[in-house]
Amino acid sequence: HLPTGWHSLAFAIQWRHRRLRILISRRGQFLEATLGSGEPMTILVKGERHEVWPDLALRLSIEMP
């Protein structure tokens, strides 16, 4: 969950020779994951597995209070 008053959060992480960018939007009610470099990977969002591929944004609808 995002803190009250925050509209979005974006960050990037480097993990096992992969660069993953994450954007969480309260207004758009979505989470977007983009793999900027490295091999495809699996991420878990609310217990569900999702594949992330290089330079192809994965956008998932999410509900936020």
Side-chain angles (χ1 to χ4, degrees):
H1 297 283
L2 295 177
T4 303
W6 287 29
H7 300 292
S8 64
L9 172 68
F11 60 94
I13 58 171
Q14 185 82 28
W15 184 73
R16 294 189 179 183
H17 307 290
R18 297 173 174 106
R19 182 165 175 79
L20 181 65
R21 294 184 303 266
I22 301 290
L23 169 62
I24 302 168
S25 172
R26 180 186 306 275
R27 287 186 176 153
Q29 298 283 308
F30 68 85
L31 177 143
E32 185 173 281
T34 307
L35 189 57
S37 64
E39 296 293 317
M41 65 186 296
T42 302
I43 62 171
L44 288 175
V45 178
K46 293 187 173 185
E48 292 185 31
R49 294 177 182 269
H50 300 276
E51 294 295 318
V52 183
W53 297 84
D55 298 319
L56 182 62
L58 169 70
R59 186 176 277 212
L60 304 171
S61 294
I62 56 174
E63 292 183 26
M64 282 192 230

